Amino acid sequence: QVQLVESGGGLVQAGDSLRLSCAASGRTFSNYVMGWFRQAPGKGREFVAHIHWSRGSTSYADSVKGRFTISRDGAKNTVYLQMNSLKPEDTAVYYCAARFVTSSEPNYWGQGTQVTVSS
């Protein structure tokens, strides 16, 4: 059974940093793209960043480029999202997701972790 468990969310002030973690278990993820999405109150879920588990190639939404960094630790089966220079508009529930490389949508989702940035 695949599980994605996020942690690391919290309440911070604008300009602060947070690191989110996503512990993945239940299968090997070498042919998966691991991603972070977020959903702000009253808005749809949006893409934040992703990383190809094996290749390490990354992609970011324009809104977070230069501020957020996605990475993975194969030994720990964990994906990270380092978030710097946080802004109030980054406030959202952040979700970890795993998408098989040939799938158009994520196959697995975590339960989400709340990030709140005060001004």
Side-chain angles (χ1 to χ4, degrees), residues 14-31:
D16 285 351
S17 298
L18 272 179
R19 188 178 78 158
L20 304 183
S21 300
C22 171
S25 62
R27 67 170 307 121
T28 57
F29 291 93
S30 56
N31 290 316

Side-chain angles (χ1 to χ4, degrees), residues 34 51-57 70-75 78-80:
M34 306 300 291
I51 183 167
H52 191 290
W53 188 273
S54 295
R55 299 173 186 170
S57 52
I70 189 170
S71 62
R72 86 276 191 238
D73 184 331
T78 298
V79 178
Y80 302 99

Side-chain angles (χ1 to χ4, degrees), residues 16-84:
D16 285 351
S17 298
L18 272 179
R19 188 178 78 158
L20 304 183
S21 300
C22 171
S25 62
R27 67 170 307 121
T28 57
F29 291 93
S30 56
N31 290 316
Y32 280 77
V33 177
M34 306 300 291
W36 288 95
F37 293 76
R38 67 186 182 185
Q39 187 166 17
K43 296 187 177 181
R45 193 171 297 188
E46 66 172 359
F47 167 76
V48 175
H50 72 218
I51 183 167
H52 191 290
W53 188 273
S54 295
R55 299 173 186 170
S57 52
T58 60
S59 180
Y60 297 91
D62 287 343
S63 59
V64 306
K65 207 170 289 185
R67 299 188 297 123
F68 291 10
T69 303
I70 189 170
S71 62
R72 86 276 191 238
D73 184 331
K76 296 182 178 180
N77 244 28
T78 298
V79 178
Y80 302 99
L81 185 68
Q82 177 66 44
M83 306 185 294
N84 298 329

Side-chain angles (χ1 to χ4, degrees), residues 37-48 63 87-95 112-117:
F37 293 76
R38 67 186 182 185
Q39 187 166 17
K43 296 187 177 181
R45 193 171 297 188
E46 66 172 359
F47 167 76
V48 175
S63 59
K87 304 176 181 180
E89 51 263 44
D90 294 318
T91 295
V93 177
Y94 283 71
Y95 297 91
T113 186
Q114 177 71 47
V115 172
T116 304
V117 185

